[in-house]
């Protein structure tokens, strides 16, 4: 009887609790305390999130180990010897998510609040970033969702827009951004992660002016990308570029460079460059590109690229003494198709196999080599001081596998639009469209701007002599002068490729 009585009491309590809960709680009226509504947002903090998200998008789309870096041989592609094998649809999830779930969604959220509060600086800068994201998505994927995107549950499967329409929308976005950045703002952001204090003595007004300059430079890049399809855009590309050149408000000095600057803290938060995290911690992941190292070591004959010791740091000074367990390809014969790849500067110079330069220890991976990962963490070539904030190669190779305590501790950059990039874009437009200016002069300026930025990145390192820099530039210009129109474009693109590292 006692057991039955106890069960009855427990059942009565459960029923009472259930009735009480139903009578006093309306689940439909509950608000998730972690769900911040638009009326609660701090536009200043959201703008910070947009800036961080934008850098995340750039890294995902074109950063050091992105698929674009791999297919262009700026970073080693190790997923397979064919692009269809090396990448799958899931490979692009990071780019897609960083764009749509991240920066584009955040800008859409900020826009009405910024308009209501007169935050023209924050909204203008956000529009520049949005235009960059849009044209990058088009450049990578063609037609992508735009007009039906960012509707949440209202449209879970948005249709794509024509890429021409998105390019036009991006140009309109930039014009609106330039106009907005020229207006008074109700308040400046607490942090401008791209242009604030990029030069000692800069003011908020200087930073705002640099966003305008960045917007115009991005327009230049968009026009040049569309130079063969100007009629589709409904504009005269050459005239539009000439108008920008006449304004003379493009990124053309290092203090105007559009870049993201990383910190040196390792935890709480980890603010270091992702390339530093990848190679200077307990276990290296990924490989440098043998092709890029070859282009900087051997492709121009005896003239090393002055940026070589800044881009790459050798952990091993000689790969010739390695066994097959550490460097499996060192005893193999190069496949026959390797003989087809020749230097565009000297046809007698062919592509190396297995390593970029065995005798000097420049050791990465060949394009498409998806072999296993041997115990080479302390031997493979890694990032140098630029752009990842690692070590400058002084010619004394050694392991960097010591818990991230080397070099600049990861205080690198994500280069987005640099003064050197501007010159290469101008050179292409001058060469291909006949816009005002001399492509040879722009090419030389682009090379020198890039070298100057790289060799001055860490003032504590040694710098190449002016003689060495001049010798390198002269090799390029001599070959440029001797080349035909397509050969000139090849040389221009190769130098742009090298300068865009990172």
């Amino acid at each position: 009887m006692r057991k039955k009585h106890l069960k009855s009491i427990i059942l009565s309590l459960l029923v009472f609790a259930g009735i009480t809960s139903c009578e006093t709680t309306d689940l439909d009226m509950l608000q998730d305390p972690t769900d911040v509504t638009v009326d609660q947002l701090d536009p200043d903090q959201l703008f910070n999130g947009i800036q961080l998200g934008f850098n995340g998008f750039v890294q995902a789309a074109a950063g050091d180990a992105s698929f674009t870096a791999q297919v262009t041989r700026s970073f080693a592609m190790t997923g397979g010897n064919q692009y269809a094998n090396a990448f799958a649809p899931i490979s692009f999830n990071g780019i897609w998510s960083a764009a749509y779930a991240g920066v584009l969604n955040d800008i859409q959220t900020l826009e009405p609040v910024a308009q209501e509060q007169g935050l023209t600086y924050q909204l203008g800068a956000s529009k520049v970033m949005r235009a960059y994201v849009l044209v990058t998505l088009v450049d990578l994927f063609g037609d992508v969702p735009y007009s039906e995107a960012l509707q949440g549950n209202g449209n879970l499967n948005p249709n794509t827009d024509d890429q021409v329409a998105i390019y036009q929308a991006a140009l309109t976005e930039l014009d609106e951004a330039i106009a907005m950045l020229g207006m008074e703002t109700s308040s400046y952001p607490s942090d401008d992660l791209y242009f604030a204090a990029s030069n000692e003595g800069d003011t908020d007004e200087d930073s705002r002016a640099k966003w305008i300059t960045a917007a115009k430079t991005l327009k230049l890049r968009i026009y040049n990308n569309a130079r063969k399809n100007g009629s589709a855009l409904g504009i005269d590309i050459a005239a539009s570029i000439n108008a920008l050149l006449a304004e003379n408000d493009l990124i053309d000095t290092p203090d105007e460079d559009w870049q993201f600057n990383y910190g040196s803290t390792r935890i709480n938060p980890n603010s270091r460059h992702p390339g530093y995290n990848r190679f200077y911690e307990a276990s290296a992941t990924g490989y440098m590109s043998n092709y890029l190292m070859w282009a900087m070591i051997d492709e121009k004959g005896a003239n090393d690229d002055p940026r070589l010791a800044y881009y790459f740091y050798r952990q091993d000074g000689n790969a010739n003494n390695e066994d097959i367990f550490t460097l499996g390809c060192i005893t193999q014969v190069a496949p026959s198709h390797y003989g087809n790849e020749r230097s565009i500067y000297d046809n007698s110079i062919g592509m190396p196999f297995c390593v970029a330069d065995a005798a000097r220890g420049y050791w990465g991976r060949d394009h498409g080599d998806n072999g296993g990962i041997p115990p080479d963490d302390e031997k493979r070539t890694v990032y140098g001081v630029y752009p990842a904030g690692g070590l400058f190669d002084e010619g004394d190779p050694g392991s960097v596998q010591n818990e991230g305590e080397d070099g600049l501790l990861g205080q690198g950059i994500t280069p987005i639009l640099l003064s050197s990039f501007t010159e290469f874009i101008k050179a292409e437009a001058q060469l291909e469209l006949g816009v005002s200016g001399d492509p040879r002069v722009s090419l030389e300026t682009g090379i020198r701007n890039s070298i100057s930025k790289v060799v001055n990145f860490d003032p504590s390192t040694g710098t190449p002599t002016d003689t060495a820099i001049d010798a390198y530039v002269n090799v390029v210009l001599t070959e440029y002068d001797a080349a035909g129109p397509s050969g000139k474009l090849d040389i221009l693109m190769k130098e742009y490729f090298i300068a865009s590292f990172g």
Side-chain angles (χ1 to χ4, degrees), residues 30-58:
L30 283 177
Q31 179 177 327
D32 184 349
T34 65
D35 185 15
V36 180
T37 59
V38 173
D39 62 305
Q40 294 173 307
L41 72 81
D42 180 343
D44 207 44
Q45 294 301 316
L46 181 56
F47 181 63
N48 284 347
I50 289 168
Q51 294 179 84
L52 290 170
F54 176 71
N55 179 62
F57 170 80
V58 175

Side-chain angles (χ1 to χ4, degrees), residues 413-442:
I413 65 168
T414 297
I416 300 171
L417 280 177
L418 307 183
S419 61
S420 57
F421 298 3
T422 303
E423 296 300 325
F424 292 121
I425 295 170
K426 285 167 54 179
E428 182 180 351
Q430 289 159 348
L431 181 65
E432 296 294 296
L433 295 175
V435 302
S436 61
D438 184 344
R440 187 183 191 275
V441 172
S442 297

Side-chain angles (χ1 to χ4, degrees), residues 308-391:
L308 182 66
Y310 299 84
Y311 279 15
F312 306 109
Y313 181 81
R314 291 166 293 168
Q315 295 189 95
D316 186 357
N318 190 340
N320 283 319
N321 56 4
E322 296 301 327
D323 57 38
I324 61 173
F325 299 104
T326 307
L327 189 59
C329 57
I330 197 67
T331 60
Q332 299 174 7
V333 177
S336 59
H337 67 269
Y338 270 64
N340 298 328
E341 187 110 37
R342 318 301 296 178
S343 166
I344 63 172
Y345 301 93
D346 184 344
N347 193 56
S348 68
I349 300 174
M351 264 287 292
F353 170 67
C354 186
V355 293
D357 191 314
R360 297 169 65 184
Y362 285 100
W363 171 353
R365 274 278 172 112
D366 285 355
H367 188 60
D369 181 354
N370 63 339
I373 306 300
D376 63 355
D377 280 4
E378 300 189 34
K379 291 179 176 292
R380 69 180 78 166
T381 299
V382 299
Y383 276 109
V385 66
Y386 180 93
L391 279 164

Side-chain angles (χ1 to χ4, degrees), residues 45-61 94-95 97-107 129 132-133 193-194 260 262 416:
Q45 294 301 316
L46 181 56
F47 181 63
N48 284 347
I50 289 168
Q51 294 179 84
L52 290 170
F54 176 71
N55 179 62
F57 170 80
V58 175
Q59 278 291 333
I95 301 171
S97 177
Y100 288 104
V103 61
L104 293 178
N105 187 60
D106 286 346
I107 292 173
M129 290 184 274
Y132 187 105
V133 171
L193 303 180
Y194 295 96
F260 182 84
Y262 292 91
I416 300 171

